[in-house]
Amino acid sequence: VSTQSTGERLDVGESLGKIENMVEDLRQARVRSKAVRLSQEHLLQRELEHCLVLQENGGCPGNMEHRATGQLLPLLIGTWIADPAGSGTEVPILATNRDTESGLLIPIAGTMEDP
């Protein structure tokens, strides 16, 4: 096929192939965009849940017993404590877990060794 204005030949098959490639690129970009959007929605949902917990308990899900004195202290997420594993390092409390036997809240904190 030739164009009237320039007299050049236009290869329809080549143009169609380019368009099909562009359509496939757009489809793949849409799939990646959807995956990112779903990931962001999941992250926002988790952040909302954390905010609701903070609203409910002020960031203090309970109390923990001080190892040396036995005194009950507020368990505040982000508070630095001595590593429960005994490494001697100060680590932040990241979350809590309830001991199934005693019912006490146990802070989740500590160091991790690279294998």
Side-chain angles (χ1 to χ4, degrees):
V1 175
S2 63
T3 61
Q4 292 179 357
S5 60
T6 62
E8 295 178 19
R9 278 198 61 80
L10 179 64
D11 185 356
V12 175
E14 181 181 331
S15 296
L16 184 59
K18 287 180 181 179
I19 291 171
E20 288 171 347
N21 288 339
M22 287 185 236
V23 167
E24 179 60 22
D25 289 346
L26 286 172
R27 188 193 67 73
Q28 290 176 3
R30 193 176 91 218
V31 167
R32 286 191 301 269
S33 176
K34 183 178 179 181
V36 168
R37 190 178 70 243
L38 288 172
S39 176
Q40 288 175 336
E41 286 176 15
H42 178 71
L43 178 63
L44 285 172
Q45 183 63 36
R46 287 185 60 208
E47 287 180 358
L48 175 61
E49 290 169 5
H50 283 93
C51 289
L52 292 173
V53 168
L54 282 173
Q55 180 183 14
E56 183 180 303
N57 63 26
C60 181
N63 296 309
M64 65 180 223
E65 189 174 322
H66 190 276
R67 285 185 185 178
T69 65
Q71 179 182 11
L72 285 179
L73 300 172
L75 193 106
L76 300 172
I77 305 299
T79 301
W80 289 78
I81 61 172
D83 181 9
S87 71
T89 307
E90 292 282 314
V91 293
I93 297 173
L94 302 174
T96 60
N97 194 13
R98 190 165 302 279
D99 184 344
T100 54
E101 293 178 16
S102 68
L104 295 174
L105 285 175
I106 299 171
I108 296 176
T111 56
M112 189 169 88
E113 293 183 23
D114 190 9

